[in-house]
């Protein structure tokens, strides 16, 4: 079957079966073309909660499908590829976080939304990369225990210097592949281009950027900017998505290594098979997990 033929079948099947397809920003363009919504993980969860469909197919990684389920417990949520996990979401175990909560009992536990549902159940508040600074500023407590991404954490800390942070070693293995040397080389090759990076990149890379933001913020910035050339310091599929959205501008990958193999685990064929009922994994969370994890997300919405 050709790609376009498979995409037509997917469009027919999802209409016939009432399925809402979500594609994270780091999915390939052929999946974007069949999705009902594309974007950052939390934005997708919110879109799914408002959608009429009773089944939601998440093309992304496991914690994203869990977040969809937390926001839409009455819906069937399918992760398109059961092997698509996020190493960062599981870097801190439930037991370690429980112990840290006891050790830093006077701290507010702030978890990046890129964590498992189980970790969310013992977090006080979640943050997205786009709203993290605002949320942390609005937390009444000045003592913050932040998990799991130290790079995102220290980027927030710089903007909220009056608060004390405790970190646990962790971070996104994909964004950590970008080095200051990549910046030096990209600046030499593209001297007129603006450098846009994700705060999951290392502190040294972030310091060299012209703009720092979440994936959606990077895309919006590049689309709205008067500039015409951009070096993109996040997962490399964004380079292609931007080039298609803005053919008159030029986009360059900051590092050819910045590819998330977990995100790339999902293929158009997975989407097709899920819609035929022969693939993916339904996400099941017990009532207590749904309720407790939802609390940390509601707190994020209240503060953000
Ligand atoms: S890019 Fe990083 S945070 Fe995102 S899914 Fe991949 S490993 Fe996880």
């Amino acid at each position: 079957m050709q790609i376009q033929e498979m995409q037509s079948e997917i469009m027919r099947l999802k209409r016939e079966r009432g399925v809402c397809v979500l594609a994270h920003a780091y999915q390939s363009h052929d999946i974007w073309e069949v999705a009902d919504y594309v974007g950052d993980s939390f934005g997708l969860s919110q879109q799914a909660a408002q959608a009429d469909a009773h089944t939601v197919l998440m093309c992304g990684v496991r914690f994203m499908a869990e977040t969809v389920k937390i926001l839409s417990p009455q819906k069937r949520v399918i992760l398109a590829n059961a092997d698509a996990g996020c190493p960062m979401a599981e870097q801190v175990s439930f037991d370690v976080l429980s112990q840290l909560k006891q050790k830093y009992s006077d701290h507010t536990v702030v978890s990046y939304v890129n964590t498992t549902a189980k970790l969310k159940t013992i977090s006080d508040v979640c943050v997205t990369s786009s709203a993290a600074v605002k949320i942390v500023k609005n937390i009444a407590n000045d003592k913050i225990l932040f998990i799991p991404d130290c790079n995102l954490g220290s980027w927030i800390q710089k903007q909220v210097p009056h608060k004390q942070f405790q970190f646990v070693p962790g971070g996104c293995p994909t964004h950590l592949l970008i080095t200051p040397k990549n910046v030096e080389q990209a600046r030499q090759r593209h001297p007129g281009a603006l450098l846009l990076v994700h705060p999951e990149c290392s502190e040294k890379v972030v310091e060299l950027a012209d703009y720092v933001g979440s994936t959606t913020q990077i895309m919006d910035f590049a689309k709205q900017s008067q500039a015409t050339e951009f070096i993109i310091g996040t997962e490399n599929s964004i380079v292609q998505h931007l080039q298609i959205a803005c053919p008159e501008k030029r986009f360059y990958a900051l590092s050819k290594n910045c590819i998330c193999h977990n995100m790339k685990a999902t293929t158009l064929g997975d989407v097709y098979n899920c819609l035929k009922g022969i693939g993916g994994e339904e996400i099941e969370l017990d009532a207590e997990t749904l309720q407790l994890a939802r609390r940390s997300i509601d707190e994020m919405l209240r503060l953000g």
Side-chain angles (χ1 to χ4, degrees):
M1 196 185 276
Q2 299 290 319
I3 287 180
Q4 283 182 346
E5 205 182 328
M6 187 174 275
Q7 287 178 320
S8 304
E9 261 306 276
I10 288 171
M11 298 305 278
R12 186 186 68 75
L13 285 166
K14 69 176 192 167
R15 268 195 304 272
E16 188 182 288
R17 302 185 177 194
V19 178
C20 169
V21 176
L22 307 177
H24 185 266
Y26 298 162
Q27 295 293 298
S28 58
H29 210 78
D30 55 0
I31 293 178
W32 269 39
E33 286 173 335
V34 296
D36 295 287
Y37 301 104
V38 297
D40 279 341
S41 66
F42 190 66
L44 290 175
S45 308
Q46 290 181 304
Q47 296 280 10
Q50 286 163 17
D52 281 340
H54 56 79
T55 301
V56 180
L57 179 61
M58 167 53 89
C59 305
V61 293
R62 184 169 293 272
F63 80 81
M64 297 176 181
E66 288 182 346
T67 309
V68 173
K69 186 70 183 176
I70 294 164
L71 262 62
S72 303
Q74 74 291 359
K75 294 187 177 175
R76 257 186 99 218
V77 178
I78 314 283
L79 176 63
N81 184 316
D83 292 331
C86 167
M88 181 167 73
E90 296 169 16
Q91 274 165 350
V92 180
S93 72
F94 183 84
D95 290 345
V96 166
L97 184 57
S98 304
Q99 286 161 17
L100 287 168
K101 268 172 75 87
Q102 281 181 1
K103 185 173 173 189
Y104 299 106
S105 56
D106 56 347
H107 286 54
T108 296
V109 179
V110 180
S111 295
Y112 193 12
V113 78
N114 299 23
T115 46
T116 62
K118 207 168 174 203
L119 287 174
K120 287 183 177 79
T121 64
I122 51 169
S123 301
D124 295 311
V125 55
C126 289
V127 294
T128 58
S129 52
S130 57
V133 172
K134 184 177 179 189
I135 292 165
V136 171
K137 276 182 183 167
N138 286 338
I139 293 171
N141 192 354
D142 280 350
K143 293 181 178 173
I144 307 291
L145 172 61
F146 188 87
I147 65 151
D149 185 352
C150 296
N151 289 324
L152 176 65
S154 59
W155 179 70
I156 301 166
Q157 186 179 29
K158 283 201 177 113
Q159 293 166 84
V160 195
H162 66 280
K163 301 215 176 198
Q164 292 169 37
F165 284 70
Q166 290 294 334
F167 299 118
V168 185
C172 165
T174 305
H175 286 86
L176 281 173
L177 294 171
I178 301 178
T179 64
K181 184 81 183 159
N182 293 140
V183 176
E184 191 187 319
Q185 288 170 339
R187 292 272 200 206
Q188 275 169 9
R189 277 193 212 114
H190 313 292
L194 290 179
L195 174 62
L196 319 183
V197 312
H198 196 284
E200 288 173 20
C201 292
S202 75
E203 229 177 310
K204 284 185 177 156
V205 170
V206 167
E207 276 167 10
L208 298 168
D210 298 307
Y211 177 79
V212 183
S214 69
T215 308
T216 300
Q217 287 172 328
I218 286 176
M219 293 192 75
D220 289 345
F221 181 94
K223 287 177 189 169
Q224 289 157 17
S225 170
Q226 296 297 313
T228 55
E229 288 188 80
F230 304 88
I231 302 161
I232 303 299
T234 188
E235 214 277 343
N236 284 350
S237 32
I238 298 303
V239 177
Q240 189 195 16
H241 297 319
L242 278 170
Q243 194 62 75
I244 291 170
C246 310
E248 71 291 357
K249 297 183 177 181
R250 300 290 304 277
F251 300 94
Y252 314 106
L254 176 52
S255 162
K256 64 180 177 359
N257 295 327
C258 195
I259 295 167
C260 177
H261 295 288
N262 282 283
M263 282 288 184
K264 293 293 177 287
T266 305
T267 64
L268 191 68
D270 289 330
V271 181
Y272 176 68
N273 285 333
C274 286
L275 288 166
K276 285 176 57 183
I278 54 170
E281 179 185 323
E282 181 168 356
I283 300 295
E284 314 257 18
L285 298 173
D286 61 61
E288 190 184 7
T289 302
L290 285 168
Q291 189 209 336
L292 294 175
R294 176 73 196 228
R295 227 172 37 185
S296 63
I297 290 177
D298 285 344
E299 187 63 357
M300 166 173 86
L301 294 171
R302 187 182 74 80
L303 294 170

